[in-house]
Amino acid sequence: MDASLLTIQPNAPEPIYRQIVEQLRRLIASGQLATGDLLPSVREVAGFHAINPMTVSRAYGLAETEGLLERLRGKGMAVAATRRATQSENQRLALLEPQLQELARHARELELPVEPVLRRLNKLLGD
């Protein structure tokens, strides 16, 4: 994995360290990051995204506490061996549930019809 695989949105309401942890969770759940895959160093991620290294360190530490990552002496952080490589589709969809509920709430607040929202989502997904 390289640092460009992570997408950081500095102006998002969600703290950057949580953005990183959530993305790691999704990348592992989808199988894009497999057991034993090494993550880029804290310094590499911080430099690539122009963010504070302590933010990346906090994200990696939280992911390690949750069992997503493990620290390999002399090598850095890697995807934990105890994690399954790929979760089921339902498990992966469950990871999106909070964002989908928020999207639905925003669409209702804007009084948008369902069809244009679904068309836009399909376009964003690349279908």
Side-chain angles (χ1 to χ4, degrees):
M1 172 187 173
D2 67 40
S4 66
L5 194 55
L6 296 172
T7 303
I8 306 299
Q9 298 174 338
N11 297 326
E14 184 176 29
I16 292 173
Y17 77 94
R18 283 193 186 156
Q19 292 178 41
I20 294 170
V21 173
E22 289 301 320
Q23 288 179 59
L24 290 173
R25 188 177 285 121
R26 289 189 296 268
L27 291 167
I28 292 168
S30 69
Q32 293 180 63
L33 287 178
T35 298
D37 282 355
L38 292 175
L39 271 65
S41 71
V42 167
R43 204 176 279 174
E44 183 182 345
V45 174
F48 184 85
H49 293 287
I51 58 176
N52 190 320
M54 289 303 296
T55 301
V56 181
S57 181
R58 182 176 184 187
Y60 280 11
L62 182 59
E64 181 181 21
T65 301
E66 291 181 12
L68 296 171
L69 303 178
E70 60 186 356
R71 194 173 309 271
L72 301 178
R73 179 172 256 166
K75 292 185 180 181
M77 299 296 277
V79 176
T82 58
R83 300 296 299 177
R84 290 189 321 203
T86 306
Q87 294 180 356
S88 73
E89 183 175 317
N90 284 339
Q91 290 170 316
R92 289 180 284 149
L93 280 170
L95 292 173
L96 280 180
E97 189 66 26
Q99 291 84 2
L100 291 173
Q101 288 178 359
E102 185 175 354
L103 171 66
R105 181 176 57 82
H106 288 199
R108 283 191 303 273
E109 288 171 354
L110 293 168
E111 296 181 345
L112 290 170
V114 172
E115 286 306 314
V117 173
L118 291 177
R119 277 196 308 272
R120 178 72 174 150
L121 182 58
N122 278 330
K123 184 178 179 182
L124 291 170
L125 289 171
D127 289 345

